[in-house]
Amino acid sequence: MKTMNCFYRFIWIMAAILCATQEMGAQVVVEAKLDSVNILIGEQVGMEVNVTAPKNARIVWPQLKPSQMLVPGLEVVEVAEGDSTELDGGLMKVGKKLTLTAFDEKLYPIPGMKVKVDGKAYAANQLALKVITMDVDTLHPNQFFPPKSVQTNPFWWSEWSAFFWMSLLMLALAISLVYLMVRLKQNKPIITKIRIVKRVPPHQRALNAIEKIKAEHLQRSEDQKAYYTQLTDTLRQYINERFGFNAMEMTSTEIIARLQQSGDKTMIDELSGLFQTADLVKFAKYSTLINENDLNLVNAVNFIDQTKLEGQPTEERIVPKLSEEDKQKKETRRAIKVLIVLVTVMVVALLAYVVYGVYQLLN
């Protein structure tokens, strides 16, 4: 009884293996097809063989080489790898491409190519290729015609008209380009030069003038009038530039009053005493002492130092103003330059298009 059970179990295992093998075999498909079913003698035709098998299957193709006969009279010209595509269900499709030719008129039966998949041979479907020849005049075998000479293409105005009119347009644009360039040359540019002028601050200019007065030793000379005239003129000029009112045309009293109105009372008493002394010397022939002259000189310097403005620019950029006519000329030159650029681009584009089109027509 035990022996019978083992026997039945063995039968079931063998049946399962046989079914699995058949199922695997059913998944393998080999298909072949031709690009054309008939060709002329010497022409080539493509033959594609595709194998559908499981992804991990080992596929062995038949060994075919160029110049080998696939069947008698049907020659293999080239062998190349085909496309490989993954399919659903764990399958893949692998291809092989052959290029065939024949030189005899005949109907060639092509047997199914055999491909081994995991050691088992599978055959593709059978094909047939018909090779035909050119028609020959058998009634007049002695009549031979030489090859025809090179034929010239007829002239069609419709093919050339567009390029002709574009050439005329390009010529007109080129003439206008020359005209614009002549106009640009005649219309000379407006050149404006920007000057950078060094600017001496008012306090520095006043101090330089006082240093000059001091270097000439006028305070120690007998000509007191010249000394106080130069000193007060220097202060008047400084006040004019620093405080913004015309101190050169004002009396000493008016200057002091104007400074007090502006709210600046820095060294007003010392400055008032200096102007009073200067008026006495110039108009009343008052004679001063040397130390008094030195004191007035020091007061003038102190007044300038305490009222000066720091951080003033030391350079001035002077831009000349253009007249309306110059501005119009400048705008005209700019417009001409823009037109020259645009016309140049159009001429180059038309020239390239015409040359390319004519080249295409002539070849």
Side-chain angles (χ1 to χ4, degrees), residues 58 102 161 179 220 228 237 247 256 260 263 289 302 306 362:
R58 187 170 61 89
S161 61
Y179 170 75
R220 300 182 184 276
Y228 278 99
Q237 184 65 33
I256 298 301
Q260 290 176 341
L289 299 176
N302 290 337
Q306 294 183 24
L362 295 178

Side-chain angles (χ1 to χ4, degrees), residues 9 69 93 99 104 107 139 147 184 257 264 284 288 310 319 327 338 344 355:
R9 185 178 299 173
M69 293 297 177
K93 187 177 182 180
T99 303
D104 293 324
L107 178 62
L139 298 178
L184 184 65
D264 195 319
T288 61
E310 298 289 349
V319 181
K327 291 180 180 179
V338 173
T344 302
V355 170

Side-chain angles (χ1 to χ4, degrees), residues 27 53-56 87-92:
Q27 292 178 345
K55 289 184 180 180
N56 298 325
L87 305 176
D88 296 334
L91 301 177
M92 69 179 301

